[in-house]
Every structure is written in structure tokens, then in C-alpha cells.
Amino acid sequence: MLDNLTKLTYQTFQQSKNYFGLAHKILSSQLRNLVHPTVVQMSNASPEVIVKLQNRLNQLLEADWQDAQKQIYPQSLLFDNSWEDFFRYYPMLCLDLPQMWERITQNRYQDFSPETYQEGYPNYYLQNFHHQTDGYLSDLSANLYDLQVEILFGGAANPMRRRILAPLKHGLQKFQGLPPRQLRILDVACGTGATLKLIRAAMPQASLFGTDLSPAYLRKANQLLCQNPGELPQLLQANAEELPYLDNYFHAVTSVFLFHELPASVRQTVIEQCFRVTKPGGVLIICDSIQMNDSPDLADMMDGFPKMFHEPYYRHYIADDLVERLEKVGFQDIEIQVHFLSKYFIAYKKEG
């Protein structure tokens, strides 16, 4: 009876986040029509697609619940939400909308404020991804990012992130003879630390590492991860094309929502780097957007996504063969999973 009540509470909690995301989209659309009526809108999804999306969401939430029941991660993660950040940053998100709409109407996709430091970054990274003010290079962007992603996915971002935890723990079983603190896990492009926070909850004694190009996002990650019990992950500013670690160092490497924001050649380089730093027998887990061959029924939505949210490399990504890329560098036993709007590649490096 208690489990049923808890499950109902979880479903209600997730549904409330979904409703909030919908309410925000309606509000922002009405405000946009008043301020910038010429901003292009993405075509409405058909009723059939909406039903399919709702079914996919329900399946995701059921998988999330079941993994918590299997004790892959604590049940408390199901209800984890930073309400303090929400009340602090949601007004700022609304205030930032006019600047975002201005960039959309003027097709300004590499627009940064004068005080934003841009030296040393690859050109492909200097983008207003999602039309964000200052791209990934300001504290404002870092503070708003998680809220924006939750709204985009209707509250399903963390349930999608948590789908890496079961294959991660499974992939590390071959190293179970090691003391837990000797297990080393790297999260590439860790952003605000959301994925590392989940990994820490599931594996409280593992040694965690994270890299990201953005100092602002790493500052935000430190703020987030300092709130959790356990050893603080070691965070470094680094380009995923040149990971600053020894060969064969990590038992597992993860990357969440990175690859659709990389040009094709860079995707290959990052995979090569992930292979290099993974120990023989170790596992790489990539979580990213679904691709066209997974969901042809969502083709219209995927076609509209890169323009609506300024994702300049997305169209190539959704047709890219990441399995071929993984096999090319030596990964094997590649498993693919799809949950809601995300796709997962689980790949192993051959043991010596």
C-alpha cells in the first residue's frame, strides 16, 4: 500500500512539472506575440504524435520508478527538485525572453556581451545554443540552464538522465572486486553537474570526475555538488577533444546531451578520446537525442527543433551512425536503448 501511494505521489509530482512546462510555453507564446509577433513558431504536433509522446513519457516514468524499486538509486531521487533555484531563477528566465526573441528575429546566433571572455574556445562552441544569452559562457546562462531544460522536456530531463545509472552499475560489475573508492568515473561535458549528482547518489563512494569547457557551468556544478554528502567530484575545465587524463584511466565514462552539439568530425574525435581514457573492460555510456531512424513518426518535430532552438549540428546528428563511429575506434558489444526523447549508446572497451 505504501509503495502504491509513493508511486502515485511520484506520478503526480512529475505531472505537475509537465503542467508547469506547458503553462510556461503558453505564457511565453502570449508574451512573444505581444512583443515579437514575427518570431517563427514551431508547427503544432498532431493529436496522434501528442498521444505517442505521452505514452513514451509514461513508459519513461515507469522505468524510472522500477529502477528506484530495484535500488539502483535511492527513491528520494524521484522527488529531487531544486525549488530554491526555481523561485530564484524563473523570473530571470522570463526577463531574458525578450533578448532571446530579439536574437531570433535578427538571426544572431553568435551574439555575446562585450564582457564575455571568448578567447581559446573552438568556434563551433561559440554559439547561442537554445538562443541562450551568452551561450554557455556566463553565470546567467549556467543559472538558467537546468530550468530551461526541465521546461523543454516537460520535467523529464532528470528521469532521462537517470537511465544511464542502471547500465553504468551493470558495466562496472566486472570491477566489483575493487574497493568502491578506486572506481573512477568521468562525466564528459558535465555542465552544471546534474548527471554527476545522480551518479553520486547511486554510487556514494566512487571517485567521480567531470570536465566542461565553460568555467561558469563548472562554478554552478561546484555549487550544486557541494550540497551533497560524499566526496566532491574533481572538476576540470577541458575540451572533450583533448581530455587531460592518462590512457586507460577510467572504469566508466559518461556523456549526456553533448554529441548533438558537436560537428561531425569533432564527434569522432571525442569518441576517440573517450576510448583512450577508458580502461580495458570499461564502459562508455552516451545519452543524447533520439535519431531519425528511431522515431520516423517524430520527423517533423526533429526537423523543426534545430531552427526553433538553434542547434546548428543537430540535423547531421540525427542521421549520424554513432555505432559505426564507436566500432571504428574499438568499442564493442554496443547496446542501444531509447527512452522518451533520448537515445543511449552503451559500449565496452575490449579487455586486454
Side-chain angles (χ1 to χ4, degrees):
M1 177 66 72
L2 182 60
D3 279 347
N4 289 337
L5 180 60
T6 306
K7 184 176 184 180
L8 179 61
T9 305
Y10 167 62
Q11 292 170 334
T12 304
F13 171 73
Q14 285 295 147
Q15 197 64 51
S16 68
K17 293 204 291 182
N18 196 3
Y19 287 148
F20 167 74
L22 179 61
H24 172 82
K25 290 169 187 173
I26 293 172
L27 173 63
S28 63
S29 178
Q30 291 174 338
L31 291 173
R32 178 188 58 214
N33 289 337
L34 288 173
V35 181
H36 285 287
T38 60
V39 172
V40 177
Q41 299 186 45
M42 192 156 53
S43 59
N44 293 325
S46 69
E48 293 81 8
V49 168
I50 292 173
V51 169
K52 288 180 180 178
L53 287 174
Q54 186 61 54
N55 288 338
R56 284 172 174 247
L57 177 59
N58 292 340
Q59 291 167 4
L60 169 70
L61 300 184
E62 180 63 26
D64 200 25
W65 170 261
Q66 291 299 331
D67 278 358
Q69 291 294 98
K70 296 171 186 174
Q71 299 184 333
I72 291 168
Y73 42 82
Q75 197 173 87
S76 60
L77 276 189
L78 299 176
F79 302 95
D80 184 45
N81 196 62
S82 180
W83 296 112
E84 180 182 350
D85 273 11
F86 167 76
F87 288 114
R88 180 186 301 176
Y89 296 122
Y90 183 67
M92 296 171 65
L93 177 62
C94 292
L95 290 172
D96 190 48
L97 288 174
Q99 293 185 69
M100 181 186 77
W101 297 330
E102 193 70 36
R103 284 192 297 274
I104 295 174
T105 58
Q106 297 181 14
N107 295 319
R108 300 198 326 254
Y109 301 129
Q110 293 183 296
D111 185 46
F112 295 86
S113 56
E115 62 271 19
T116 302
Y117 186 76
Q118 302 175 47
E119 298 299 320
Y121 295 102
N123 190 59
Y124 67 80
Y125 186 72
L126 296 174
Q127 304 275 348
N128 297 107
F129 293 104
H130 319 145
H131 301 291
Q132 293 180 151
T133 297
D134 293 328
Y136 288 135
L137 296 180
S138 72
D139 290 321
L140 173 65
S141 170
N143 286 329
L144 299 184
Y145 176 79
D146 287 325
L147 181 56
Q148 291 171 319
V149 172
E150 283 291 355
I151 291 171
L152 174 63
F153 289 121
N158 274 339
M160 287 193 293
R161 287 190 184 103
R162 286 195 285 269
R163 302 282 61 73
I164 74 165
L165 297 177
L168 176 61
K169 295 183 85 169
H170 176 77
L172 289 170
Q173 284 181 351
K174 61 175 61 68
F175 302 111
Q176 59 186 354
L178 288 176
R181 290 191 183 279
Q182 291 185 21
L183 287 174
R184 293 185 292 270
I185 303 169
L186 170 66
D187 188 39
V188 177
C190 65
T192 62
T195 300
L196 285 170
K197 180 181 179 183
L198 300 177
I199 296 173
R200 171 59 76 219
M203 307 184 67
Q205 294 186 324
S207 293
L208 304 185
F209 299 74
T211 65
D212 201 89
L213 260 177
S214 170
Y217 276 63
L218 289 172
R219 285 193 291 272
K220 183 67 176 180
N222 269 312
Q223 292 173 16
L224 175 70
L225 297 168
C226 279
Q227 299 169 10
N228 293 340
E231 182 182 345
L232 189 67
Q234 298 181 40
L235 304 181
L236 286 178
Q237 183 187 6
N239 190 330
E241 297 177 75
E242 298 179 277
L243 293 174
Y245 301 105
L246 298 172
D247 296 356
N248 307 319
Y249 189 68
F250 293 101
H251 300 87
V253 177
T254 62
S255 184
V256 177
F257 302 145
L258 166 67
F259 279 77
H260 73 280
E261 293 189 342
L262 298 175
S265 61
V266 178
R267 260 176 245 141
Q268 189 64 42
T269 301
V270 173
I271 287 174
E272 290 168 359
Q273 285 289 296
C274 290
F275 183 82
R276 179 183 65 79
V277 302
T278 301
K279 293 180 74 70
V283 62
L284 167 67
I285 303 173
I286 296 171
C287 163
D288 215 295
S289 166
I290 54 174
Q291 295 181 293
M292 196 65 76
N293 58 0
D294 305 306
S295 304
D297 52 323
L298 300 180
D300 288 345
M301 186 179 73
M302 283 188 270
D303 280 340
F305 183 79
K307 175 63 176 177
M308 186 67 180
F309 295 100
H310 184 57
E311 292 283 5
Y313 316 112
Y314 185 81
R315 280 204 172 89
H316 188 279
Y317 164 82
I318 59 176
D320 199 5
D321 190 342
L322 263 67
V323 171
E324 181 180 352
R325 293 186 181 278
L326 291 163
E327 290 177 339
K328 181 179 178 180
V329 302
F331 282 110
Q332 61 182 20
D333 300 328
I334 300 168
E335 177 189 352
I336 292 175
Q337 298 180 10
V338 174
H339 298 282
F340 190 37
L341 297 175
S342 288
K343 184 172 185 174
Y344 305 77
F345 300 85
I346 303 142
Y348 293 87
K349 186 171 181 176
K350 184 178 180 179
E351 297 187 63

